[in-house]
């Protein structure tokens, strides 16, 4: 009997009677990480890593019933053992391991294999069945180390000190990773859009070391941000919020920026290739390291990755339809 | 090559016009002349030759990478460009192993273009071709591979317009843009000799074939035009043919299209007329298929375009005529700086002295008020024209599109509300986004496809529609998806004709999306009967081919 199945509410473990990252309200929701497509409101009990509590409550409301766990701490749901292990995606992100009798399944959530100073590194968990994401599941996606890309961002910022430099990136995870990487190059203050500012505070509370930051909204009206770096979520691009900055240079940091067409159609002046998801070599390598014989591929390029794993490595790999979105192509 | 790839990367990495011009100017200032002319040649899209097809390039890649073909296709669908797909994929494939030392491939651009790349022509076996291209890939970095692939496949387009290249060159050399634009018109060989001519401070001897840059009208800014003194303006019909420049110099005749293609041989019936004019004359005009006193439908002209040989039958069935707009050169002298009224007077005299059934002067239309102009514009369709062109009587013949001198005032397009039926992903910038749409009209209970359209939505709407299409796909046929027939769009088009090649029996010209009619349900879309009514309206004005 499969340990995990897909129900209309989401990924379900019948023996333990819980859901993982459900997309509807349920009794018990185990949450891999606090991104919106994995952590949705309305469930009765949320179980997630202790370190993600602050952000999860900011997103779902402080009134939620929350049970925190440490990485690796064994929990028992009915007859099944459950533990959370670092996924290297964002602060507090976890893979969820479930064990029943001699069988082990792992749900990866979202993950990456590159070094990221803002969260715990991915841990390989051997298992029989691995449920993996495939946001960037095509061999055209191969990442450089984050530090290399952030150095490019730093150079771009320094190349024009007469204008504000507006960098768009996801508010939770990507922004803090950039702020943490930037400590290698500078200690100048970076300015943050409100949405990023509040999440960054949670990272600081969790002890992540980042360069100094201030909220843009706390600056006096007369302040011009000349030569400053400002981080903002993609939704702020071309919004009225942007009017505050006179003739800014703009850029977007995302894995999608690897492809020229994707970069050009967005209308940012520059694109930096930086993703919190595994690239193609990372996905293939991870699946192989888990030694799993059975692989379910959830969101992204699920068909391509599943077919490749089947053909090249003889694994029993198949796509699994879910409502996860990964790094939204369009935000 | 490294420097050129770097330039490409800089220009490609930014959408800022200023940054592009700066990068170009810097490159032109610091690059060796022999490489510089090649860079210009490539940036201006003068290459027409394809040494290797994208298909062959893909075959070479599949051989050296051992990647399954389906996976390559999936990648291509995401990227929309073979050259780039291969460059991206090569990041993760160690080609360098076992390849000969290839340091000598760190060569300047002119060496690549003149010596290295042409080698592929002499290769006889596929094995040789694979070995040759692979050794180049192995020697270059990721971005250089992309540039090389683009050069090989001849599809060298970069995110920079001709205008920006010329601007960058003007900044670098101090020579005015208009002079450079003129010197770079038509065909040139990327040689040192050309480089010297191009940058010479004095006027240079030009080849007889060299055209002038075209001057283009801009869409009318009604508010701005309202305050003009109308007596200083001239109105002409805007014809729907092909804009052309006709040259007779030192006994030779040349006809250039606006896309800078030499089309002399496509219109043999214009040559006796051109030949009859005194040498040293350049005309600007529109080539149309013409019968009696009115143009034939564009479909006739379409049959004449892009052919290597034109049969007598073709000429008889689709006779062409030149509507002359302007005189750019007279008695070997550049007349472009004289005011329009003077150029036109000389043009009139010229056409009267050398009458020909294939050449007519573009008529100046009578008007004294804006209301008159509106009236004329409303009559354009009956004339077989697509609107009006308004020109300042004292305007010089400038370069490109400079607002304020010549305006075009086009007809409102015809339009129908149609239902989205199929969608297909675009390529290039629109790869992996559903942007090619097929629209249908009602015929009884059925929806019959009547037009494909690619443009008219803004980015936000494209993204929204793309998401909608993914969620409402009914069936997939290869790259095409059929969708729930529920979204209605107002489709605009310039003309409509009968067609036995289309299931609907009609074809439309320049279809594009005017609006997404979210307020309408599919049942409220137009019928094929409504389209046929428009067709009858059109038939009264132009004669369509049977």
């Amino acid at each position: 009997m499969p340990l995990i199945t897909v129900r209309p509410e989401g990924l379900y473990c019948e023996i333990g009677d819980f859901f993982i990252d459900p997309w509807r309200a349920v009794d018990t929701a185990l949450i891999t990480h606090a991104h919106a497509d994995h952590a949705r409101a309305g469930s009765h009990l949320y179980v997630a890593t202790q370190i993600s509590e602050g952000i999860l409550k900011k997103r779902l409301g402080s009134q939620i019933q929350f049970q925190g766990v440490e990485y690796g701490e064994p929990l028992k749901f009915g007859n099944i053992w459950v533990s959370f292990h670092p996924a290297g995606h964002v602060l507090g992100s976890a893979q969820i391991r479930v064990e029943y009798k001699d069988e082990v399944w792992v749900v990866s959530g979202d993950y990456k294999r590159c070094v990221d100073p803002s969260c715990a590194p991915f841990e390989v968990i051997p298992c029989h069945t691995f449920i993996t994401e495939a946001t960037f599941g095509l061999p055209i996606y191969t990442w450089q180390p984050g530090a290399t890309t952030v150095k490019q961002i730093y150079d771009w910022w320094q190349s024009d000190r007469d204008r504000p430099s507006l960098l768009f990136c996801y508010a939770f995870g990507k922004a803090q990773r950039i702020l943490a990487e930037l400590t290698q190059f500078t200690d100048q203050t970076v300015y943050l859009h409100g949405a990023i500012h509040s999440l960054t505070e949670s990272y600081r509370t969790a002890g992540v070391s980042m360069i100094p930051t201030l909220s843009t909204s706390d600056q006096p009206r007369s302040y011009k941000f000349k030569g400053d770096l400002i981080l903002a979520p993609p939704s702020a691009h071309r919004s009225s919020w942007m009017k505050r900055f006179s003739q800014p240079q703009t850029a977007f940091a995302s894995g999608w920026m690897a492809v020229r067409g994707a970069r050009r159609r967005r209308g940012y002046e520059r694109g930096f290739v930086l993703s919190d998801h595994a690239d193609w070599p990372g996905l293939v390598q991870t699946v192989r390291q888990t030694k799993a014989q059975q692989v379910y591929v959830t969101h992204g390029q699920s068909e391509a990755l599943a077919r490749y794993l089947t053909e090249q490595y003889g694994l029993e790999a198949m796509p699994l339809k879910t409502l996860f979105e990964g790094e939204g192509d369009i935000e | 090559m490294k420097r050129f790839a770097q330039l490409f990367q800089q220009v490609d990495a930014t959408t800022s016009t200023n940054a592009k011009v700066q990068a170009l100017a810097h490159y032109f200032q610091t690059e060796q002349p022999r490489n510089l002319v090649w860079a210009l040649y490539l940036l201006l899209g003068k290459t027409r030759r394809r040494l290797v097809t994208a298909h062959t390039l893909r075959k070479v890649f599949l051989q050296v990478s051992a990647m399954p073909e389906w996976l390559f296709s999936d990648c291509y669908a995401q990227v929309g460009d073979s050259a780039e797909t291969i460059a991206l994929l090569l990041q993760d494939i160690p080609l360098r192993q076992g390849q000969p030392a290839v340091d000598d491939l760190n060569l300047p651009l002119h060496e690549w273009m003149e010596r290295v790349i042409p080698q592929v022509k002499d290769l006889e076996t596929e094995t040789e071709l694979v070995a040759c291209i692979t050794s180049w890939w192995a020697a270059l970095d990721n971005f250089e591979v992309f540039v090389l692939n683009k050069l090989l496949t001849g599809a060298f387009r970069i995110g920079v317009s001709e205008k920006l290249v010329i601007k960058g060159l003007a900044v670098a050399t101090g020579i005015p843009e208009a002079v450079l634009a003129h010197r770079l018109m038509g065909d040139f060989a990327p040689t040192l000799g050309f480089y010297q001519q191009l940058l010479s401070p004095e006027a240079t001897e030009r080849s007889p074939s060299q055209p002038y840059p075209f001057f283009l009208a801009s869409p009318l800014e009604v508010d701005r035009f309202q305050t003009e003194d109308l007596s200083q303006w001239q109105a002409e019909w805007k014809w729907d043919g092909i804009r052309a420049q006709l040259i007779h110099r030192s006994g030779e005749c040349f006809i250039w299209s606006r896309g800078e293609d030499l089309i002399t041989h496509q219109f043999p019936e214009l040559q006796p007329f051109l030949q009859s004019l005194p040498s040293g004359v350049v005309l600007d005009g529109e080539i149309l298929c013409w019968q009696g006193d009115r143009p034939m439908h564009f479909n006739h002209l379409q049959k004449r375009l892009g052919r290597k040989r034109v049969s007598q039958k073709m000429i008889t069935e689709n006779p062409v005529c030149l509507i002359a707009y302007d005189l750019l050169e007279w008695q070997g002298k550049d007349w472009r700086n004289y005011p329009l009224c003077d150029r036109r007077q000389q043009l009139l005299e010229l056409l009267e002295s050398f009458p020909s059934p294939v050449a007519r002067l573009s008529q100046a239309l009578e008007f004294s008020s804006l209301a008159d102009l509106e009236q004329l514009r409303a009559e354009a369709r009956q004339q077989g024209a697509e609107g009006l062109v308004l020109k300042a009587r004292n305007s010089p013949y400038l370069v490109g599109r400079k607002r304020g001198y010549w305006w075009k005032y086009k007809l409102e397009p015809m339009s129908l509300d149609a239902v989205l039926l199929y969608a297909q992903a675009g390529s290039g910038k629109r790869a992996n986004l559903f942007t090619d749409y097929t629209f249908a009209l009602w015929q009884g209970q059925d929806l019959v496809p009547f037009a494909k359209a690619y443009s008219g939505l803004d980015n936000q709407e494209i993204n929204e529609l793309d998401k909608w299409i993914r969620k409402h796909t009914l069936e997939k046929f290869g790259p095409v998806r059929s969708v729930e027939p529920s979204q209605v769009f107002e489709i605009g088009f310039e003309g409509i004709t009968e067609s036995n090649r289309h299931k609907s029996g009609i074809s439309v010209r320049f279809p594009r999306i005017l609006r997404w009619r979210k307020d309408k349900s599919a049942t409220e879309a137009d019928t094929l009967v409504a389209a046929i009514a428009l067709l009858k309206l059109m038939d009264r004005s132009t004669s369509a081919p049977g």
Side-chain angles (χ1 to χ4, degrees):
Chain A
M1 188 178 112
L3 294 188
I4 291 166
T5 53
V6 181
R7 289 216 175 169
E9 297 90 340
L11 298 178
Y12 181 60
C13 175
E14 192 175 334
I15 304 167
D17 190 23
F18 59 80
F19 286 86
I20 296 174
D21 294 351
W23 41 86
R24 290 190 193 164
V26 298
D27 271 352
T28 306
L30 275 56
I31 301 296
T32 60
H33 65 288
H35 273 142
D37 55 325
H38 291 262
R40 297 175 201 243
S43 290
H44 178 66
L45 172 68
Y46 290 90
V47 185
T49 58
Q50 188 57 51
I51 198 168
S52 64
E53 178 176 6
I55 292 168
L56 203 58
K57 285 190 168 171
K58 265 182 190 156
R59 303 210 132 186
L60 300 181
S62 55
Q63 79 293 345
I64 58 163
Q65 199 189 329
F66 177 84
Q67 181 188 337
V69 295
E70 297 302 325
Y71 284 127
E73 179 189 340
L75 302 175
K76 196 140 196 203
F77 286 84
N79 286 324
I80 210 158
W81 285 102
V82 174
S83 51
F84 288 59
H85 304 269
H89 178 56
V90 292
L91 183 69
S93 68
Q95 314 168 65
I96 296 179
R97 177 187 187 276
V98 296
E99 181 182 341
Y100 177 69
K101 296 188 176 160
D102 286 333
E103 195 170 354
V104 176
W105 285 44
V106 170
V107 176
S108 76
D110 291 337
Y111 65 96
K112 72 168 173 290
R113 303 301 303 267
C114 310
V115 174
D116 177 348
S118 71
C119 65
F122 182 92
E123 214 174 83
V124 174
I125 310 295
C127 56
H128 300 100
T129 301
F130 188 52
I131 301 181
T132 181
E133 63 137 324
T135 307
F136 290 102
L138 283 176
I140 46 173
Y141 297 112
T142 311
W143 310 146
Q144 294 183 307
T148 309
T149 307
V150 175
K151 176 67 168 47
Q152 289 167 0
I153 292 175
Y154 174 72
D155 290 343
W156 165 77
W157 167 23
Q158 297 303 311
S159 73
D160 193 340
R161 301 307 303 267
D162 293 332
R163 303 194 285 166
S165 296
L166 271 179
L167 178 66
F168 295 89
C169 58
Y170 294 107
F172 169 30
K174 191 81 56 78
Q176 294 77 25
R177 180 182 178 191
I178 293 168
L179 294 172
E181 291 280 10
L182 277 173
T183 55
Q184 303 169 60
F185 311 112
T186 181
D187 56 4
Q188 297 170 72
T189 298
V190 172
Y191 292 84
L192 306 178
H193 180 280
I196 295 180
H197 180 69
S198 132
L199 287 158
T200 304
E201 289 306 303
S202 300
Y203 268 69
R204 289 200 196 278
T205 312
V208 175
S209 161
M210 292 174 286
I211 56 168
T213 55
L214 287 171
S215 167
T216 51
S217 55
D218 291 345
Q219 305 316 304
R221 256 325 190 191
S222 57
Y223 188 68
K224 292 286 178 248
F225 299 99
K226 191 180 154 189
D228 290 339
L229 177 66
I230 302 115
L231 303 191
S235 56
H237 189 227
R238 297 188 173 140
S239 69
S240 56
W241 174 85
M242 231 178 108
K243 291 191 188 130
R244 162 140 205 209
F245 307 95
S246 128
Q247 297 186 315
Q249 56 168 347
T250 61
F252 186 36
S254 160
W256 301 111
M257 297 294 102
V259 173
R260 222 173 135 240
R263 202 165 64 225
R264 279 157 60 216
R265 73 172 176 239
R266 272 183 182 71
Y268 296 100
E269 286 173 37
R270 277 292 295 271
F272 296 104
V273 186
L274 188 70
S275 177
D276 287 333
H277 294 268
D279 58 4
W280 171 263
L283 291 167
V284 175
Q285 179 202 4
T286 304
V287 168
R288 302 205 64 211
Q289 285 174 338
T290 64
K291 305 267 196 305
Q293 269 307 307
Q294 181 162 258
V295 182
Y296 290 105
V297 188
T298 59
H299 47 304
Q301 301 288 339
S302 43
E303 284 164 30
L305 182 61
R307 181 169 173 188
Y308 185 79
L309 293 170
T310 307
E311 287 183 5
Q312 298 290 311
Y313 302 110
L315 303 179
E316 226 178 287
M318 61 214 91
L320 187 69
K321 199 166 162 55
T322 65
L323 297 185
F324 305 135
E325 288 167 7
E327 186 159 346
D329 186 18
I330 293 142
E331 179 130 325
Chain B
M1 184 73 151
K2 278 216 179 329
R3 295 215 46 206
F4 183 64
Q6 243 169 35
L7 169 70
F8 190 128
Q9 197 161 19
Q10 281 170 358
V11 171
D12 191 56
T14 175
T15 55
S16 143
T17 306
N18 253 340
K20 283 182 204 255
V21 172
Q22 266 175 29
L24 286 161
H26 177 76
Y27 174 84
F28 292 138
Q29 267 159 355
T30 51
E31 183 57 295
Q32 303 282 332
R34 288 184 74 176
N35 297 325
L36 189 152
V37 279
W38 269 108
L40 274 175
Y41 191 77
L42 295 167
L43 293 172
L44 294 173
K46 302 281 182 189
T47 38
R48 302 270 152 97
R49 245 176 352 151
R50 188 167 60 186
L51 290 162
V52 178
T53 62
H55 181 75
T56 306
L57 214 55
R58 179 184 184 140
K59 265 191 358 208
V60 172
F61 172 79
L62 289 174
Q63 271 202 31
V64 297
S65 69
M67 176 175 285
E69 192 167 355
W70 65 265
L71 188 55
F72 183 90
S73 299
D74 278 13
C75 291
Y76 173 78
Q78 191 84 353
V79 177
D81 178 295
S82 296
E84 188 188 355
T85 308
I86 291 171
L88 285 168
L89 290 173
L90 282 170
Q91 291 178 97
D92 200 33
I93 295 169
L95 280 183
R96 263 155 253 256
Q97 289 167 3
Q99 291 296 329
V102 277
D103 279 354
D104 64 327
L105 284 180
N106 185 11
L107 297 168
L109 182 63
H110 76 269
E111 290 268 355
W112 271 98
M113 297 308 299
E114 290 165 19
R115 190 170 62 77
V116 182
I117 291 177
Q119 285 170 19
V120 292
K121 283 184 302 188
D122 305 326
L123 301 176
E124 279 163 14
T125 66
E126 195 173 302
T127 322
E128 284 178 337
L129 184 70
V130 172
C132 176
I133 292 179
T134 313
S135 71
W136 295 342
W137 282 345
L140 300 172
D141 74 24
N142 178 26
F143 204 83
E144 290 164 345
V145 167
F146 170 55
V147 173
L148 172 72
N149 290 349
K150 282 291 195 193
L151 294 175
L152 287 171
T153 51
F156 199 85
R157 273 207 225 115
I158 176 177
V160 55
S161 65
E162 196 173 312
K163 194 172 161 177
L164 286 190
V165 174
I166 290 169
K167 202 165 186 171
L169 190 62
V171 171
T173 61
I175 300 174
E177 281 173 53
V179 173
L180 290 171
H182 183 199
R183 291 177 181 176
L184 287 165
M185 280 295 281
D187 290 333
F188 65 79
T191 59
L192 269 182
F194 176 76
Y195 172 85
Q196 279 150 5
Q197 260 182 31
L198 176 69
L199 301 186
S200 143
E202 294 101 42
T204 51
E205 187 73 17
R206 54 166 187 254
S207 92
S209 72
Q210 194 181 27
Y212 293 102
F214 283 83
F215 184 35
L216 309 171
S218 318
L220 181 66
E221 293 169 21
V222 178
D223 292 346
R224 183 165 167 184
F225 191 70
Q226 250 156 13
T227 56
E228 296 284 355
D229 171 5
L230 291 184
S231 67
Q232 296 307 305
W233 289 77
Q234 168 182 316
E236 296 166 61
W237 295 120
K238 183 177 188 322
W239 298 109
D240 183 20
I242 56 167
R243 184 87 181 273
Q245 200 175 119
L246 293 84
I247 298 173
H248 180 201
R249 287 184 189 130
S250 359
E252 287 188 273
C253 295
F254 306 93
I255 305 179
W256 290 93
S257 73
R258 225 195 84 192
E260 286 175 52
D261 285 312
L262 210 46
I263 50 172
T264 322
H265 300 289
Q266 292 177 32
F267 302 105
E269 64 262 60
L270 296 180
Q271 291 199 33
F273 158 69
L274 200 48
Q275 202 66 252
S276 74
L277 303 181
S279 191
V281 67
V282 177
L283 302 177
D284 177 10
E286 192 99 3
I287 296 174
L288 292 158
C289 277
W290 196 272
Q291 202 165 40
D293 61 349
R294 56 185 313 114
M296 297 164 83
H297 192 272
F298 189 84
N299 285 5
H300 284 281
L301 187 58
Q302 194 86 54
K303 293 180 186 168
R304 297 283 307 261
L305 301 178
R307 290 181 181 273
K308 284 219 171 76
R309 219 169 278 134
V310 191
S311 68
Q312 191 52 49
K313 180 165 175 275
M314 194 61 79
I315 293 176
T316 319
E317 287 177 4
N318 312 288
V320 297
C321 157
L322 171 77
I323 306 285
Y325 292 141
D326 216 321
L327 181 68
L328 311 188
E329 185 174 307
W330 174 237
Q331 294 176 334
K333 242 182 91 196
D334 182 350
W335 267 51
R336 292 177 300 158
N337 281 326
Y338 294 131
L340 173 66
C341 47
D342 294 359
R343 300 197 306 270
R344 189 174 163 85
Q345 184 54 39
Q346 186 57 54
L347 177 65
L348 178 85
E349 286 169 23
L350 176 71
L351 292 176
E352 277 175 357
S353 323
F354 301 91
S356 159
V358 297
R360 304 159 169 262
L361 179 68
S362 169
Q363 188 193 345
L365 304 169
E366 295 284 331
F367 68 97
S368 54
S369 65
L370 284 171
D372 291 351
L373 284 175
E374 284 298 341
Q375 180 64 34
L376 282 167
R377 175 175 174 244
E379 288 165 19
R381 190 160 280 146
Q382 284 158 31
Q383 295 290 330
E386 55 173 14
L388 299 174
V389 178
L390 309 167
K391 297 175 179 171
R393 288 187 194 280
N394 64 359
S395 59
Y397 190 95
L398 297 165
V399 171
R401 217 182 281 280
K402 290 217 167 51
R403 284 181 299 175
Y405 300 91
W406 289 10
W407 301 111
K408 56 182 174 190
Y409 194 24
K410 287 178 72 165
L411 278 167
E412 294 295 338
M414 296 194 258
S415 74
L416 287 168
D417 288 338
V419 182
L420 177 65
L421 206 57
Y422 303 111
Q424 186 172 358
S427 63
K429 188 169 163 180
R430 293 169 147 197
N432 202 35
L433 258 194
F434 287 97
T435 54
D436 299 0
Y437 317 109
T438 303
F439 298 96
L441 298 171
W442 289 107
Q443 185 176 36
Q445 296 299 304
D446 297 329
L447 281 166
V448 183
F450 99 105
K452 283 187 171 199
Y454 310 89
S455 63
L457 296 178
D458 64 26
N459 280 341
Q460 207 183 335
E461 288 170 321
I462 287 175
N463 290 335
E464 189 185 341
L465 186 54
D466 178 76
K467 277 194 171 174
W468 184 89
I469 289 165
R470 287 170 201 276
K471 288 197 177 133
H472 298 85
T473 297
L474 298 178
E475 276 181 281
K476 295 181 187 176
F477 315 96
V480 179
R481 293 178 175 212
S482 68
V483 298
E484 282 172 21
S486 62
Q487 299 302 309
V488 178
F489 293 80
E490 184 179 339
I491 308 300
F493 44 91
E494 297 300 318
I496 181 166
T497 47
E498 282 180 49
S499 159
N500 45 23
R501 289 184 17 224
H502 297 81
K503 199 176 161 192
S504 60
I506 52 173
S507 74
V508 291
R509 183 153 155 75
F510 289 143
R512 70 262 188 195
I513 301 167
L514 298 180
R515 264 190 309 164
W516 187 347
R517 295 297 303 260
K518 292 184 183 168
D519 56 320
K520 285 203 167 185
S521 69
T523 50
E524 292 172 89
D526 280 312
T527 60
L528 202 53
V529 176
I532 289 165
L534 282 177
L535 179 72
K536 288 185 179 145
L537 201 74
M538 276 291 281
D539 269 348
R540 259 175 269 150
S541 56
T542 52
S543 49

